[in-house]
Amino acid sequence: MQVQWHTAGLLATVAVFAGTATLVFHHVYRLQPTPFIDEAFHVPQCQRYCAGNFTQWDDKITTLPGLYLLSVGVLGYTSGLQRPACSLYLLRLVNLLFSVGTLITLYSILKVLNAEQERREWRHLVAALSLASFPVLYTFSFLYYTDMASTLLVLLMYSLHLHRQPGAAAAIGAVSVLVRQSNVIWVAVVGAFACTDAMVAALTAARSAPRRRPVDPSSPRIVREVLHFYWSQARHDPLALAEALTDVVYEGVQYGAVCAAFVAFVAWNGALVVGDRSAHEAVLNAPQLLYFLATSSVWLAPLMVESARQMLATVRARPALWAALAAGLALLLQSAGAPHPYLLADNRHVAFYAWRRWLGHRTLRLTLVPVSAATLALLAAGGARRPLLQRAALAAGTALVLVPQRLLEFRYFIVPFLLWRLQLRPPGSAALLAECALYAAVNAAVLYLFTVKTFTWDDQPGVQRIIW
C-alpha cells in the first residue's frame, strides 16, 4: 500500500510539473518560433543528423554531438524508427521530455540521500519538484540547448551510483561527456565517490569487532583513519591490503575507463573542444568560484534563514579560519582578468547586466566576499552529515569545472549547484516550501522579462529577448 501511495504521489507530481511546463513551452514557442541565440547552431546541426548527414559539422559548435544523437534517437523511436522530422518544435520538445526525466531522477536521488524521511514522502516530491524547477535550468527546458540533457545525464549517473550500479553509471557518464566535455569532471567525481565508499566500507568491516569506535565518514578524522588503515594493512597483512584495494579498483575502474578515453580523445583532437577553439580557451579564472557561491546564495536563501544558527555556530567555532577564508576570497576576487568579449557584447543574457551594473566594478565586487562566505558556511553546516571525502571530491570537481572558464555564464553553475544542494541536510517544511515559492517567482519573472522586454539588433533579423 505504501509503494502504491508513493507511486501515485510521484505520478501526480510529474503530471503537475509536465502540465505546467507544457503550457510554458507553448507560450515560449509562440513568442519565439525561430531559433534563438545558440539554437541557430544546434538546430541546423541536428537537422543534418536527422537527414542522415553525419559528416558536415558547424565549426561554431564546440561540444560533441551527444545531444544531436540523443535527439535523433528519441524522435526516431517515436516516429517508428523511420527518419525523424526534426523541426524546431520537436527538438525543443525533446528537451521538455528531458526535464521530466530530470524531475524523476532527482526524486530517486533524494529517496536514497534522505532515506530517514521515508515517512514524509511529500518532502521528497516537493524537493524534487523544486530542484527540477531550478530557475536557470528551467528556462532552458523550453529551448534547444545542451544544458537539459547534460544535467539529466549527470544526475542519472549519480543516481545509478547511489543505487549501486557502477557499470550503468559509468556508461551514462560517457554519454554525458558526449553532450558536454566538462562532464568528464563529474564522471571523475562520482568515481571518487565510489572509491571512497569502498575505502570506508573496508575500514568499517575491519572495525566490526565489539567495543571498537564506529567509523564516522563525516568526521575530519576519516582521512587519517583511512590512511592509517591501509598503511597498517600494508605492513601486517599484504593479502588483506590487496583484497581491499581490489574492491576500490573494482568500484572505480569503469569511471576511470571513461576518463582515460576522454584523455585519449583530447590527445588526438589537440584540445578539449571541437570546432572554434579561439572563443573557448581554458584560462585560470578563480573569481568564477565567487560568482558561483554568490549566485548560489540567492537560491539557498530559504535554507540560510532556517540554518542561520548552525551557520553562526560554525563560524564562531573557528573564527580565525573564517577570517582567513574571507581574506582569501577577497584576494581571489581581485585577480579577475578582462571579461570575455561575449559577455560584453551580448545584451540578451542576464550576465551582461550583472557585469555592467555590479560585477564589472571593482569596489562593488567586494560585496561578493561576505555573500560567498555565507554560502560556504551553509555548505559546511548543512552538509556536515555527508561523507567528508565525498565533499572534498565535489569541491575539487566544482573548482575544476568553473575555474578554467573565462566566460561568465550562469548555465555553467547548474550542475555544481544541484549536486551541492543535494548534499545539504533536508530542509524543514517552511524552508522547503519557501524554496519552491522562490524558484516559481523567479521563473515567472524571467518568463515575464522574456515576454515583454524585446529589442532589435541591426545585424540580426527578428526580435531579441533576454534569458539567463
Side-chain angles (χ1 to χ4, degrees), residues 74-392:
V74 171
L75 294 176
Y77 178 80
T78 56
S79 62
L81 300 181
Q82 298 177 356
R83 182 169 291 177
C86 297
S87 64
L88 173 62
Y89 179 89
L90 289 176
L91 292 177
R92 287 180 178 175
L93 191 61
V94 169
N95 262 1
L96 189 64
L97 293 175
F98 289 160
S99 71
V100 175
T102 299
L103 167 66
I104 298 171
T105 303
L106 284 164
Y107 172 77
S108 71
I109 293 172
L110 289 163
K111 288 279 287 183
V112 176
L113 292 180
N114 302 329
E116 72 277 3
Q117 288 194 325
E118 186 65 26
R119 295 186 177 181
R120 296 186 176 183
E121 173 70 7
W122 72 271
R123 288 193 180 182
H124 296 316
L125 295 171
V126 173
L129 181 64
S130 177
L131 295 179
S133 304
F134 175 55
V136 185
L137 178 65
Y138 192 71
T139 298
F140 294 99
S141 304
F142 313 112
L143 300 172
Y144 192 62
Y145 274 60
T146 59
D147 301 275
M148 198 71 251
S150 172
T151 302
L152 169 60
L153 290 167
V154 171
L155 292 175
L156 182 56
M157 172 179 60
Y158 184 36
S159 177
L160 288 168
H161 156 70
L162 292 173
H163 287 86
R164 301 291 183 240
Q165 300 290 331
I172 293 297
V175 178
S176 78
V177 176
L178 291 177
V179 174
R180 181 172 288 174
Q181 291 93 312
S182 60
N183 286 340
V184 72
I185 302 298
W186 303 121
V187 174
V189 168
V190 174
F193 286 0
C195 291
T196 56
D197 280 346
M199 292 177 182
V200 173
L203 177 60
T204 302
R207 286 193 177 176
S208 59
R211 291 183 294 181
R212 288 192 176 182
R213 181 164 50 85
V215 177
D216 180 7
S218 63
S219 170
R221 296 189 303 268
I222 191 64
V223 176
R224 184 177 69 252
E225 291 175 349
V226 167
L227 291 176
H228 180 268
F229 167 72
Y230 280 99
W231 175 246
S232 177
Q233 293 280 54
R235 293 177 58 192
H236 303 296
D237 195 347
L239 188 61
L241 173 66
E243 182 179 350
L245 290 178
T246 299
D247 291 339
V248 174
V249 171
Y250 172 78
E251 291 294 334
V253 67
Q254 296 97 327
Y255 304 100
V258 175
C259 296
F262 182 76
V263 170
F265 162 75
V266 172
W268 170 79
N269 186 53
L272 292 171
V273 301
V274 296
D276 183 11
R277 304 173 184 178
S278 61
H280 294 83
E281 296 177 347
V283 297
L284 190 63
N285 187 17
Q288 283 277 25
L289 294 174
L290 279 90
Y291 304 151
F292 166 67
L293 292 170
T295 53
S296 296
S297 70
V298 177
W299 314 125
L300 295 171
L303 280 68
M304 285 186 174
V305 173
E306 180 187 59
S307 303
R309 289 185 178 179
Q310 294 92 327
M311 293 166 59
L312 187 58
T314 299
V315 174
R316 283 179 172 175
R318 296 182 177 179
L321 174 63
W322 284 94
L325 179 63
L329 291 175
L331 289 175
L332 285 180
L333 195 58
Q334 297 308 312
S335 69
H340 196 290
Y342 287 0
L343 177 62
L344 302 177
D346 197 338
N347 64 344
R348 295 171 296 184
H349 294 286
V350 173
F352 170 87
Y353 301 96
W355 184 268
R356 189 175 69 173
R357 299 177 181 178
W358 180 22
L359 301 178
H361 302 275
R362 184 174 293 270
T363 303
L364 292 178
R365 262 206 311 263
L366 288 174
T367 57
L368 294 180
V369 174
V371 176
S372 300
T375 303
L376 289 174
L378 175 65
L379 297 180
R385 70 192 187 102
R386 299 298 182 199
L388 178 64
L389 294 174
Q390 294 191 7
R391 283 184 282 153

